[in-house]
Each structure stands twice: as structure tokens, then as C-alpha cells.
């Protein structure tokens, strides 16, 4: 059902917060919680983030996995950098299409803190300093004024997660309305042609009747119209309409 999007620098505590959220919702709701992220895909971070095409492919895989998991009952937590605002907009379009609420949890740290936490990881889980610095430079900070970044929860390293506020954001808010262009349009009435023909015949009968009793300058009432129309205009319509329909 709802989608929680994690966001932040590399090594900013996103996965720890995602685990905290998963534990909270599993203990306080009867819903399944799915954590989707770089870890679930088993990617080698330095290889992926050193190549733009590989990174794009991974973002696509994460989006597809999140979309596959979203349903009317479960909670999906997307635990990745999600640092590109265009990608966050794609996720927003996804939740609009699936008609489910979402929120963004931004783990705010300084580049220095992220670098320190990176060095404290196991060697095989560390980013190279070059990759980490590049990702920090490319990071596009969330802005709650953007509808795809709202509601936004900014969490610093010493903060406690606002569990109730996050829960309200995904359970007590309506999903954003879908784009009109993606909605199925209602079918026309099955008697549409009959109604069109009936209205057309009524208008033609009014015109033919007015020819017998009216003179140029008279105003004629036309069935279905709120204003009267001049007799001369009616005559012109009667003259040219058959030519236009040929």
C-alpha cells in the first residue's frame, strides 16, 4: 500500500532508519513490510555508482521491485540514495498511478560524518572516497515545496524517528489524484447516435418552419439553444451545411 522513500548521503543512516521503521510497523500494524534497496539487489556499490549507465539500470530495477511489491495491504520502504529529484518524481508518478500515499524520510548528515561512518564499515561494504565524494556532490536536497518530496521528514543523526507522524502521513492521507491522461475515459452512451439524430431533426424542423412565417431580421428560437438566432443566419446555415457535409 504506502511507499516510504528513504533519502540521504551514502552512509547517512538510511538503512538503520529503514530497519527501525520496519520493526515499528510490524509491531504496531498487521501489515507486511518490504524493505527494497541496494542490499536486496546484491549490487557492488562502487562498480555501480562509477558508471552512469549501470546506476541508471539499478534505479530502474529498484523502481520495478518497489512497484511489484506495492499493493493494497503491504508497506514498501525504498532504502537507497534516491538522491536525484527526477527519480523521486518518477516514484511520485508511480504512487499516483497505483493510488497509494507516500512520504520521504531524509537522513540529514554532513559529508564529514558520512565519510567517517563509511570508514567504520566492513571493508567490503565501504564506498571508495572518490565515489562517496562524487555522490555527495551530485546529491539534490529534497524540498517539501515539491509535491514529490512532500510530506518530508528530515532526520538528523541524534533524532528519534517520528513514528506516529510518519504513520499518519501514509495511512491518514489520501493518495494524490492520478493524471487525467492515464485514466480510462467513460464510454459514450449507447443511444448517443439516436439522441444526436433526434436533436438534429428538431433543429431542422424549426428552421424549415421558420422559413414559412419569418422574414429577414426576425429572431428564431432553436430547440436546445438558450438564445434566439436571426432568421438570416438560419437561412445561411441551411444553405451551406449540406455543402460542408459532402
Amino acid at each position: 500500500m504506502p511507499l516510504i522513500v528513504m533519502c540521504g548521503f551514502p552512509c547517512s543512516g538510511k538503512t538503520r532508519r529503514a530497519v527501525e521503521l520496519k520493526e515499528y510497523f510490524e509491531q504496531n500494524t498487521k501489515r507486511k513490510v518490504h524493505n527494497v534497496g541496494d542490499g536486496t539487489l546484491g549490487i557492488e556499490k562502487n562498480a555501480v555508482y562509477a558508471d552512469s549507465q549501470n546506476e541508471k539500470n539499478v534505479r530502474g530495477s529498484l523502481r520495478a521491485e518497489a512497484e511489484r511489491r506495492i499493493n493494497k495491504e503491504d508497506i514498501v520502504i525504498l532504502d537507497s540514495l534516491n538522491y536525484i529529484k527526477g527519480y523521486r518524481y518518477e516514484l511520485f508518478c508511480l504512487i499516483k498511478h497505483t493510488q497509494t500515499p507516500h512520504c520521504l524520510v531524509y537522513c540529514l548528515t554532513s559529508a564529514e560524518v558520512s565519510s567517517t561512518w563509511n570508514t567504520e564499515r566492513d571493508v567490503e561494504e565501504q564506498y571508495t572516497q572518490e565515489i562517496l565524494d562524487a555522490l555527495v556532490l551530485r546529491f539534490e536536497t529534497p524540498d517539501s515545496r515539491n509535491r514529490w518530496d512532500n510530506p518530508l521528514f528530515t532526520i538528523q543523526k541524534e533524532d528519534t524517528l517520528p513514528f506516529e507522524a510518519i504513520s499518519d502521513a501514509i495511512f491518514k492521507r489520501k493518495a494524490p489524484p492520478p493524471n487525467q491522461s492515464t485514466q480510462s475515459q467513460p464510454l459514450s452512451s449507447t443511444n448517443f447516435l439516436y439522441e444526436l439524430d433526434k436533436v438534429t431533426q428538431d433543429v431542422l424542423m424549426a428552421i424549415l418552419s421558420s422559413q414559412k412565417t419569418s422574414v429577414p431580421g426576425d429572431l428564431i428560437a432553436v430547440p436546445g439553444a438558450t438564445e434566439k438566432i436571426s432568421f438570416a443566419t438560419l437561412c445561411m446555415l441551411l444553405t451551406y451545411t449540406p455543402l460542408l457535409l459532402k
Side-chain angles (χ1 to χ4, degrees):
M1 186 172 172
L3 175 65
I4 300 175
V5 179
M6 308 303 295
C7 178
F9 288 168
C11 307
S12 58
K14 296 183 298 301
T15 297
R16 176 170 64 90
R17 300 299 193 174
V19 170
E20 291 176 2
L21 285 168
K22 185 175 190 295
E23 292 175 350
Y24 172 82
F25 285 115
E26 287 179 338
Q27 293 171 6
N28 293 276
T29 70
K30 296 180 179 180
R31 301 174 186 271
K32 291 182 179 180
V33 183
H34 304 283
N35 277 19
V36 176
D38 295 352
T40 59
L41 295 184
I43 66 170
E44 205 293 295
K45 295 191 287 285
N46 289 305
V48 167
Y49 292 112
D51 183 278
S52 60
Q53 187 58 50
N54 286 343
E55 183 182 347
K56 183 178 180 181
N57 293 338
V58 167
R59 287 199 301 269
S61 297
L62 289 171
R63 183 186 183 281
E65 181 64 15
E67 184 174 13
R68 188 176 71 84
R69 295 284 187 177
I70 290 175
N71 57 46
K72 293 183 178 180
E73 299 298 331
D74 301 348
I75 300 169
V76 177
I77 302 174
L78 184 55
D79 176 23
S80 188
L81 297 175
N82 300 316
Y83 69 96
I84 300 173
K85 63 182 179 181
Y87 182 60
R88 296 197 296 268
Y89 177 73
E90 288 183 25
L91 296 172
F92 177 71
C93 291
L94 169 63
I95 62 104
K96 287 183 69 174
H97 177 70
T98 55
Q99 283 291 273
T100 186
H102 92 305
C103 72
L104 187 68
V105 177
Y106 173 32
C107 297
L108 175 61
T109 60
S110 66
E112 291 75 17
V113 169
S114 291
S115 182
T116 299
W117 285 355
N118 182 52
T119 60
E120 294 173 354
R121 289 183 168 189
D122 293 338
V123 175
E124 63 273 12
E125 295 182 357
Q126 291 181 14
Y127 291 89
T128 66
Q129 192 63 44
E130 180 182 4
I131 294 295
L132 188 145
D133 290 342
L135 290 171
V136 168
L137 286 175
R138 299 204 299 266
F139 186 82
E140 296 177 329
T141 305
D143 185 342
S144 61
R145 292 173 296 181
N146 297 327
R147 61 189 185 280
W148 55 86
D149 288 337
N150 188 288
L152 173 64
F153 298 94
T154 301
I155 311 299
Q156 299 192 41
K157 63 178 183 177
E158 67 276 4
D159 292 343
T160 299
L161 280 172
F163 294 108
E164 290 188 8
I166 293 174
S167 179
D168 288 346
I170 60 176
F171 292 130
K172 295 184 178 181
R173 291 174 59 251
K174 291 183 179 180
N179 293 330
Q180 290 297 320
S181 59
T182 64
Q183 297 303 291
S184 299
Q185 298 300 315
L187 297 175
S188 299
S189 173
T190 54
N191 64 343
F192 171 74
L193 291 178
Y194 167 78
E195 294 292 341
L196 177 62
D197 182 67
K198 184 175 182 300
V199 170
T200 303
Q201 291 298 323
D202 290 343
V203 172
L204 287 175
M205 290 302 297
I207 294 174
L208 293 173
S209 297
S210 66
Q211 283 185 314
K212 300 176 182 178
T213 59
S214 302
V215 296
D218 288 350
L219 294 178
I220 308 300
V222 176
T226 57
E227 297 183 3
K228 292 184 177 182
I229 189 170
S230 72
F231 177 69
T233 302
L234 281 175
C235 290
M236 186 169 21
L237 288 173
L238 191 62
T239 301
Y240 288 105
T241 299
L243 298 175
L244 294 174
L245 293 175
K246 286 184 178 179

